[in-house]
Amino acid sequence: MFETPLIERFSRIHPATPFVFWIPVYSYLAFRGYENGVGLGAGLGLGFLGLFAWTLAEYVLHRWVFHYVGPRLWQRRVHFVLHGVHHDFPQDADRLVFPLGASIPLGITFYLLFRAIVGPVLVDPLFAGFGFGYLVYDGTHYAIHHFRMSSRWGKWIKRHHMIHHHTGQHARWGVSSPLWDYVFRTMKSS
């Protein structure tokens, strides 16, 4: 995809990399929340709130950032690099999960945003839940494209995403959850 070997190398990522990198980070943040006095019930509640926030972030990023194609050549190139390549080559196993060069800055941005909203103590379990949602997204997306999904939910979510790829690129923006497709009425197939 890129002529420069270094840039090409960093545009690819092994699908296990986000899990190997982020699970220790999210685990530490959940533990730090506990150490800072966030009780188990409050921590779980904040974690579920973070997971819920991830589903909205996933929808918004996919719909309005990854699928934005501007009128200028550089905007079309940015779109292709961010997401267009995935639609052109959906079976490319090395480009199905976020490279760390993208997920770390996004993670820091969301962490700082959440910290500004809920403060320095509650942010840790909230962000851990948000991050767990991100890992569910990355894992689900990889599985959809590379595994035979045999459970009822697996078959349904795979079909949901394949409709987005093949007949409805202007619908079905949720990858790991269709929640916001129902809320914003974007479940149509074309």
Side-chain angles (χ1 to χ4, degrees):
M1 186 165 102
F2 296 102
E3 293 177 11
T4 307
L6 184 65
I7 295 174
E8 175 68 20
R9 181 175 178 271
F10 284 107
S11 76
R12 297 181 169 279
I13 183 171
H14 188 278
T17 303
F19 299 90
V20 170
F21 179 83
W22 285 108
I23 286 175
V25 172
Y26 302 144
S27 298
Y28 169 73
L29 290 174
F31 179 73
R32 191 168 77 174
Y34 173 77
E35 278 190 325
N36 286 332
V38 178
L40 181 61
L44 288 173
L46 286 162
F48 280 113
L49 181 61
L51 178 64
F52 179 73
W54 167 257
T55 63
L56 181 60
E58 174 188 316
Y59 181 91
V60 167
L61 287 169
H62 190 195
R63 182 174 183 180
W64 286 296
V65 177
F66 298 154
H67 276 270
Y68 175 75
V69 182
R72 294 179 178 81
L73 178 62
W74 71 269
Q75 292 169 318
R76 292 192 302 272
R77 285 185 178 162
V78 167
H79 166 261
F80 180 77
V81 169
L82 283 178
H83 194 65
V85 68
H86 171 61
H87 277 270
D88 287 354
F89 304 100
Q91 297 308 107
D92 187 342
D94 292 340
R95 290 196 172 102
L96 277 175
V97 298
F98 269 31
L100 293 178
S103 68
I104 292 172
L106 272 174
I108 291 169
T109 301
F110 277 108
Y111 182 86
L112 293 174
L113 173 67
F114 293 158
R115 184 182 166 112
I117 294 169
V118 301
V121 174
L122 301 180
V123 69
D124 291 340
L126 178 72
F127 186 72
F130 184 83
F132 175 73
Y134 157 67
L135 292 178
V136 168
Y137 155 79
D138 255 355
T140 300
H141 192 223
Y142 187 85
I144 285 169
H145 285 283
H146 285 283
F147 298 132
R148 185 171 180 211
M149 308 286 272
S150 57
S151 71
R152 187 174 175 189
W153 177 85
K155 288 177 183 177
W156 189 91
I157 201 72
K158 183 169 188 158
R159 182 177 182 277
H160 174 75
H161 188 60
M162 289 300 108
I163 288 172
H164 167 76
H165 266 272
H166 300 293
T167 63
Q169 286 192 29
H170 301 290
R172 300 193 181 216
W173 307 102
V175 177
S176 63
S177 168
L179 172 64
W180 298 103
D181 286 306
Y182 285 115
V183 170
F184 293 117
R185 299 181 181 184
T186 54
M187 284 296 289
K188 62 186 182 211
S189 61
S190 61

